Amino acid sequence: MNLLGPAEIRDLADLLGVQPTKKLGQNFVVDGNTVRKIVKAAHVEAGDDVIEIGPGLGSLTLGLLEAGARVVAVEIDARLAAQLPRTVAEMAPESELIVVHEDALKVTELPIAPTRLVANLPYNISVPVLLHLLEHFDSLAAGVVMVQAEVGHRLAARPGSKIYGSPSVKAEWYGAWRIAGTVSRQVFWPVPNVDSVLVGFDRRGEPIGTLAERQATFALVDAAFGQRRKMLRQSLGQLLGGTEAASATLEAAGIAPTSRGESLTVHDFLAVARVQIAAAGK
């Protein structure tokens, strides 16, 4: 299958009157080798049900279809959503594509249950989109996404790192994350002013906690990293009823009150949440 190159991308953009916008995070991949690199890194195989967010003009979509996947593409731009089936019908007529014209942050149901996520995510909403999809689609078992390098390294960061933060912990709730590759700025149109990386994930076989525990854990994470330089007994004080109450809750969870959020794993935050929930239920 032929993939879209720079000339085809620009011709399509001109046809639709599309000028890539920073607001929508539109940077289109114009290099077929990069597309195939992403598909390979995501271990996409024939018969896989893949969700793609922000397919744009279809560069990555065609690469996924070339690998034999069935693709559901979620696109917020009406012009792009309307054109994509036409492009695929012309370049990959036997392929299976479903286009959903919707804001990815609002999608809670899809025509198929996707097992893989593969996408060039809009940089301005990459983390919220990832967490939203993992929350609402239990079928997602693995995936690879292209994101801003800074964001990607945060997602894959481990406790104790200077870049470990709220996205790191929340991502870890759902599974294991890794840097799966780097991407040159030159493969995009327009060329972005930031570097990009591929981030891969594999979902846990079973959730580590309930919905209520996840919500409580994420609230603790937000509080801890909202004041990351403070000790947990201080940063969690408002949430847990004051400094003394926070210290007691942390100690009951086996966490030193003088610790800081950057030293805790998601399991540590979950332990604190469980103590908090148990105390509230008395």
Side-chain angles (χ1 to χ4, degrees):
M1 180 190 299
N2 291 324
L3 303 183
L4 296 175
E8 292 85 0
I9 290 290
R10 286 178 171 80
D11 287 346
L12 277 171
D14 288 342
L15 173 67
L16 301 175
V18 169
Q19 184 65 37
T21 69
K22 186 175 182 180
K23 179 181 177 181
L24 295 178
Q26 291 173 325
N27 295 92
F28 303 128
V29 178
V30 297
D31 178 63
N33 289 332
T34 298
V35 166
R36 291 188 172 107
K37 173 183 176 180
I38 296 169
V39 173
K40 184 177 180 180
H43 304 295
V44 175
E45 298 180 352
D48 282 346
D49 287 328
V50 176
I51 179 173
E52 181 188 5
I53 303 300
L57 293 167
S59 305
L60 180 56
T61 311
L62 288 168
L64 293 167
L65 295 172
E66 179 184 58
R70 180 166 60 161
V71 177
V72 56
V74 181
E75 175 57 60
I76 193 172
D77 188 310
R79 297 166 298 173
L80 299 177
Q83 177 60 37
L84 188 57
R86 301 179 193 134
T87 301
V88 169
E90 178 180 343
M91 300 186 69
E94 303 301 318
S95 302
E96 294 186 73
L97 170 71
I98 302 169
V99 178
V100 176
H101 175 215
E102 183 61 87
D103 182 344
L105 285 168
K106 298 179 180 178
V107 171
T108 56
E109 294 182 357
L110 290 169
I112 62 174
T115 57
R116 292 189 180 276
L117 167 64
V118 187
N120 170 20
L121 290 179
Y123 287 170
N124 52 342
I125 57 167
S126 53
V127 172
V129 164
L130 276 172
L131 295 177
H132 175 81
L133 293 174
L134 288 165
E135 175 185 351
H136 290 283
F137 296 97
D138 294 341
S139 59
L140 281 176
V144 166
V145 294
M146 183 157 51
V147 297
Q148 184 177 340
E150 181 181 355
V151 173
H153 287 291
R154 284 178 180 172
L155 285 166
R158 306 304 304 156
S161 166
K162 291 182 179 180
I163 60 172
Y164 182 75
S166 175
S168 320
V169 183
K170 291 179 179 179
E172 190 187 2
W173 177 277
Y174 295 103
W177 298 73
R178 68 190 183 280
I179 300 299
T182 58
V183 181
S184 168
R185 298 185 186 190
Q186 304 307 315
V187 304
F188 295 98
W189 175 68
V191 177
N193 58 5
V194 294
D195 293 319
S196 304
V197 296
L198 301 179
V199 182
F201 72 89
D202 292 289
R203 195 180 192 123
R204 300 181 189 279
E206 294 292 334
I208 62 173
T210 65
L211 172 59
E213 288 172 341
R214 176 174 59 78
Q215 292 172 335
T217 298
F218 282 16
L220 289 166
V221 169
D222 288 337
F225 289 103
Q227 304 179 73
R228 65 179 299 144
R229 294 185 179 181
K230 291 187 176 182
M231 297 177 184
L232 288 173
R233 67 186 180 193
Q234 296 169 303
S235 61
L236 301 183
Q238 185 174 356
L239 192 61
L240 297 178
T243 303
E244 290 187 9
S247 293
T249 300
L250 287 161
E251 288 172 351
I255 307 297
T258 54
S259 301
R260 290 179 173 80
E262 63 194 38
S263 68
L264 272 61
T265 67
V266 69
H267 296 284
D268 293 329
F269 278 107
L270 175 57
V272 178
R274 284 174 170 162
V275 173
Q276 178 192 14
I277 291 170
K282 291 183 180 178

